[in-house]
Structures are given as C-alpha cells and as structure tokens.
C-alpha cells in the first residue's frame, strides 16, 4: 500500500497535473473525474460519487467531509481537464451551479487557474469555491504528512 505522502508526490509529479509542458499527457473527461475522486478519497472525504453526465449543470460529483459525528460538510465538485488555465468565468458559472444549496464547491484543474480565477474564488459568500491543482494538493499532503508525523 502506498502511504499518503508517497501517493501525493506521485500524483503531483504525474501526468494528472502536468507542469505546463507540451509533452504532458492530460486525462480527459470521465478519466479525470475518476482521478479527482481518488484525490478526494486520499484527502479524507467520504461518500464520493462522480455524477458527471449530460445535463449535470456543471456538477461532476459530490462528496462529504466528516469533521465529527455531527459535523458533515457537503461538497460538489467540478473537474476541468482542458489544456489551458481555468479562468474566472468558469468559477462564476460553477458558483451559480451551486445555487442555494448548502454545499461548498471544489474545482480541480489539470492546468491550473488564472490570477482572476483565484481572486474570484476567494470572494466570500454562501457558495464558497475551493481550487485544486498540482501545487495546492502537494502542499496539502505535505502539511498533513508533517502533522501526522508529529502526532505519532
């Protein structure tokens, strides 16, 4: 079995999140959605379901993060496997897809986000959207690994 720290370095250096070179292989569509499901699982999410289908209103899946028995945070996620960075219009559109639900949002992007997209996602409100690409997933695992290492 692969430890989370090993797994994170494999994912972040793999073709799943390429480093903007022309030789990188991008996963497309459903395959990228399945890979994002694996990432959420390794991050501690549960009840992860890929729902991506025609007419899904931009929602590719849903997941839960359980903080305690009575504290469950619901998330909807979207997976962007395009060849360019995701821009702010995609963030606004996804936020609109969240509607009035009590869910938070996550967008995965193989090729990262524009500065405007990052700024857009940081706007506070009921439809909070978190962005994940190779850089912040790697940071997440590094922090989590160090915390777990210090606890043992």
């Amino acid at each position: 079995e692969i430890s989370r720290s090993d797994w994170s370095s494999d994912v972040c250096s793999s073709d799943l999140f390429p480093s903007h070179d022309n030789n990188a292989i991008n996963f497309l569509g459903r395959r990228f959605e399945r890979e994002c499901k694996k990432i959420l699982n390794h991050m501690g999410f549960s009840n992860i379901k890929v729902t991506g289908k025609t007419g899904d209103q931009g929602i590719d899946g849903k997941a839960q993060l359980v903080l305690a028995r009575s504290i469950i945070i619901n998330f909807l996620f979207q997976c962007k496997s395009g060849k360019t960075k995701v821009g702010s219009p995609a963030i606004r559109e996804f936020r609109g897809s969240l509607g009035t639900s009590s869910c938070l949002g996550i967008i995965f992007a193989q090729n990262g986000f524009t500065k405007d997209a990052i700024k857009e996602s940081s706007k506070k409100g009921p439809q909070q959207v978190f962005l994940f690409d190779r850089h912040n997933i790697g940071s997440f695992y590094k922090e989590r690994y160090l915390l777990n290492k210090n606890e043992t």
Side-chain angles (χ1 to χ4, degrees):
E1 186 171 312
I2 299 174
S3 74
R4 289 185 184 206
S5 60
D6 293 339
W7 183 87
S8 70
S9 61
D10 289 346
V11 167
C12 295
S13 63
S14 75
D15 293 329
L16 177 57
F17 290 98
S19 57
H20 302 294
D21 64 19
N22 292 331
N23 298 322
I25 300 168
N26 286 342
F27 290 137
L28 298 176
R30 299 248 194 271
R31 184 167 179 205
F32 186 55
E33 292 169 1
R34 288 191 304 270
E35 295 300 320
C36 292
K37 179 181 177 180
K38 289 179 189 177
I39 292 168
L40 289 169
N41 184 53
H42 283 283
M43 293 173 74
F45 284 78
S46 60
N47 298 320
I48 307 161
K49 293 184 180 38
V50 174
T51 59
K53 58 186 177 224
T54 305
D56 63 8
Q57 308 273 329
I59 305 299
D60 292 325
K62 55 186 177 178
Q64 292 181 327
L65 188 60
V66 179
L67 301 179
R69 285 186 195 187
S70 61
I71 303 173
I72 299 171
I73 303 171
N74 293 305
F75 286 84
L76 298 174
F77 63 90
Q78 185 175 61
C79 308
K80 296 288 198 179
S81 61
K83 294 182 179 183
T84 60
K85 290 184 176 187
V86 174
S88 58
I91 308 302
R92 286 190 293 275
E93 184 178 310
F94 181 63
R95 185 176 278 130
S97 295
L98 295 175
T100 58
S101 74
S102 60
C103 296
L104 300 177
I106 298 172
I107 299 179
F108 291 94
Q110 280 188 317
N111 289 297
F113 300 93
T114 65
K115 289 179 183 177
D116 286 341
I118 294 167
K119 184 176 178 181
E120 179 68 32
S121 74
S122 67
K123 290 182 179 177
K124 301 298 177 207
Q127 289 81 24
Q128 189 64 43
V129 177
F130 300 92
L131 307 181
F132 287 93
D133 63 11
R134 67 181 294 131
H135 303 293
N136 56 7
I137 288 175
S139 296
F140 171 86
Y141 278 109
K142 185 176 181 181
E143 289 171 16
R144 188 169 181 153
Y145 174 71
L146 291 174
L147 284 173
N148 290 339
K149 190 175 181 181
N150 290 335
E151 289 175 1
T152 56

